[in-house]
Amino acid sequence: MSRLNLFAPDVRENPYPFYAELRRNSPVCQVDPHGLWAVSRYDDIQAALKNPQVFSSAGMRAATEPPHLGRHNPLSDSPILADPPRHTQLRNLINRSFTAATVSSMEPHMRSTAAGLVDELVRRRRAEFISEFACRAQIRALVRLMGLDPSLEKQFVRWTVDMVSVGTTSPEDHARLDEVRRTIDEMETFMQELLASRRQRMGSDLVSELLRTRVNDVVLTDKDVIAFLLLMLVAGLETTETLLTHMVLILSQRPEWMDRLRAEPALIPRFIEEVLRFEPPVHVTMRLTLAETELGGVRLPAHAMVALLLGSGLRDETRFQDADRFDPARPAQGSLAFGHGAHYCLGALMARTQARIVMEELLRRCRRIELRTERLEWNSALNTRCPRALPIEVLAA
């Protein structure tokens, strides 16, 4: 049996039958690209996420700082790529600044943005949802969160596209690599100037809060703050944009849920949770084994690159009854969509809040959402799975 290639076109189009085959016959095995060790069952994935002493988050550095990049990537200093105790220290400091109250204070802005975008969508009727709605909704929230000028939105989107492409850019694509390096230089310069400006005049924005936070006389360094802001920009935009996209795609495929949710808005959070399970924004998260270990009855060597297939774990039939059926009414269960354990996603609450507000505004103005393409093309990133474009038409309520 040949190795499964996670980048193969048929796998990208519909990975779930391939994931099911792995769970049945090879729950821990090597796959392409690069002979990664793929872990496909829920319990094994959860066990690895709960054991950073063996399964190190340093494994994800290969995606943010490959050798052919030829320079340091400040995103590699973010807490998502750190192990305890360093991760614990960073998380404690950041949690003091980026709180549930912070997200709650953003809700009026997020709602006014979503309402305006929905109104525009209804007027136009047709749109490419990802670039014209999902990306704009989230980038505006992030710019507001950081207390920045809205004119920076297009620049931030360009930076995010370049940063996401780091792990998938070929070593032979010298022109693209030069573009990415220039983007990193621009981002570092911008962030350094931003921190200097905030120190002269502190505000109530996230950047100011990160700079003033102190726990037991420990503060975040400039490098720490810049890395976290870049993580919010890159991962926060990509993950939430993908969640919103899958949410709307599922509504177009299951129009009965537009009526059901409009009649029972209290079901919206459960609908979002089922979207996160059924089509998670993050399909793969990487780890590096620090020592030889056993997982799922298979011996893994030290220094092995391990791909934890979150998209597979969330369709594991031993964990979720009738796992391939989209069912928001299913009993609430633990979800791996935003990770697990120490590295549970810092932006999970903000992503869920954005999704809920967008859903409420769509239901307010839209009767139906219809897909306007016969076949979707999917992105080629390892960690996320999202259509490259989502052309839709909306019918007003």
Side-chain angles (χ1 to χ4, degrees):
M1 178 179 172
S2 61
R3 278 183 187 170
L4 175 69
N5 189 332
L6 297 176
F7 283 157
D10 52 346
V11 177
R12 294 305 297 172
E13 185 168 348
N14 182 12
Y16 298 107
F18 298 95
Y19 289 164
E21 179 75 12
L22 290 180
R23 290 194 303 272
R24 282 192 298 269
N25 300 317
S26 305
V28 179
C29 67
Q30 286 188 281
V31 299
D32 286 324
H34 315 307
L36 301 171
W37 287 91
V39 182
S40 55
R41 290 179 179 169
Y42 187 102
D43 289 346
D44 293 334
I45 294 168
Q46 187 179 62
L49 291 172
K50 290 169 66 174
N51 188 5
Q53 293 77 22
V54 175
F55 294 91
S56 168
S57 294
M60 289 187 286
R61 286 181 180 269
T64 60
E65 202 171 299
H68 56 267
L69 182 60
R71 62 152 294 160
H72 175 64
N73 183 347
L75 190 59
S76 298
D77 299 317
S78 65
I80 198 173
L81 299 178
D83 293 323
R86 177 60 177 155
H87 173 268
T88 306
Q89 182 186 57
L90 287 172
R91 184 107 184 188
N92 287 341
L93 286 162
I94 291 168
N95 281 343
R96 298 290 184 94
S97 307
F98 186 47
T99 64
T102 305
V103 176
S104 180
S105 71
M106 288 288 298
E107 285 203 34
H109 177 265
M110 293 164 78
R111 187 170 297 281
S112 65
T113 297
L117 290 172
V118 170
D119 289 347
E120 182 180 337
L121 185 60
V122 169
R123 283 195 303 272
R124 294 174 56 194
R125 290 194 61 176
R126 291 199 176 200
E128 195 290 289
F129 180 79
I130 300 175
S131 62
E132 297 175 23
F133 191 110
C135 178
R136 291 169 68 188
Q138 184 62 3
I139 201 68
R140 288 179 185 180
L142 292 171
V143 167
R144 177 64 172 253
L145 181 66
M146 297 181 192
L148 301 175
D149 193 308
S151 65
L152 293 167
E153 290 171 6
K154 289 184 179 179
Q155 180 173 302
F156 275 20
V157 171
R158 176 175 62 82
W159 285 354
T160 300
V161 170
D162 287 350
M163 294 301 289
V164 168
S165 74
V166 169
T168 56
T169 300
S170 164
E172 290 75 36
D173 193 346
H174 301 293
R176 182 67 181 136
L177 287 171
D178 285 341
E179 289 178 9
V180 172
R181 294 183 192 109
R182 283 194 294 271
T183 289
I184 293 175
D185 288 338
E186 287 178 20
M187 289 193 309
E188 283 194 310
T189 299
F190 175 86
M191 290 297 179
Q192 288 163 357
E193 292 175 353
L194 173 62
L195 299 195
S197 172
R198 285 293 187 276
R199 283 199 168 92
Q200 291 180 353
R201 187 174 182 178
M202 289 286 201
S204 58
D205 56 275
L206 178 62
V207 180
S208 299
E209 291 298 328
L210 290 167
L211 289 174
R212 65 166 62 100
T213 295
R214 179 182 298 270
V215 178
N216 298 327
D217 290 328
V218 178
V219 298
L220 292 164
T221 67
D222 284 6
K223 184 175 76 170
D224 297 332
V225 174
I226 289 172
F228 178 65
L229 293 176
L230 292 180
L231 177 66
M232 287 291 295
L233 177 62
V234 177
L237 176 58
E238 185 180 29
T239 302
T240 305
E241 177 183 282
T242 304
L243 169 58
L244 297 179
T245 300
H246 282 304
M247 187 173 75
V248 167
L249 175 59
I250 286 171
L251 286 175
S252 74
Q253 296 166 332
R254 296 165 175 82
E256 69 276 9
W257 276 99
M258 293 285 288
D259 298 329
R260 176 85 180 270
L261 294 172
R262 191 178 293 107
E264 300 178 72
L267 291 177
I268 290 174
R270 292 179 67 176
F271 180 89
I272 293 169
E273 291 308 303
E274 182 67 350
V275 172
L276 286 166
R277 184 198 70 83
F278 193 75
E279 287 286 3
V282 178
H283 262 237
V284 178
T285 188
M286 300 298 299
R287 293 295 186 267
L288 178 73
T289 56
L290 299 181
E292 183 179 334
T293 189
E294 182 175 308
L295 186 65
V298 175
R299 297 299 297 180
L300 297 175
H303 311 301
M305 292 292 292
V306 179
L308 304 177
L309 305 182
L310 304 182
S312 174
L314 290 165
R315 295 283 189 106
D316 190 334
E317 47 284 307
T318 67
R319 178 81 182 192
F320 303 97
Q321 186 175 6
D322 202 3
D324 286 328
R325 181 167 63 91
F326 182 80
D327 180 16
R330 71 174 63 248
Q333 299 179 65
S335 174
L336 299 173
F338 288 111
H340 184 81
H343 281 90
Y344 184 78
C345 178
L346 284 158
L349 177 59
M350 185 170 178
R352 286 184 168 106
T353 301
Q354 181 77 276
R356 173 178 56 79
I357 289 171
V358 166
M359 177 67 79
E360 289 168 352
E361 293 303 315
L362 284 171
L363 292 171
R364 180 179 64 86
R365 293 295 317 273
C366 305
R367 176 168 52 88
R368 287 286 182 271
I369 298 174
E370 297 180 354
L371 190 61
R372 285 291 174 250
T373 182
E374 293 184 1
R375 183 169 183 173
L376 295 170
E377 293 186 14
W378 297 86
N379 68 340
S380 58
L382 180 63
N383 64 321
T384 61
R385 179 174 180 268
C386 186
R388 294 186 185 277
L390 191 71
I392 61 168
E393 180 174 357
V394 300
L395 306 179

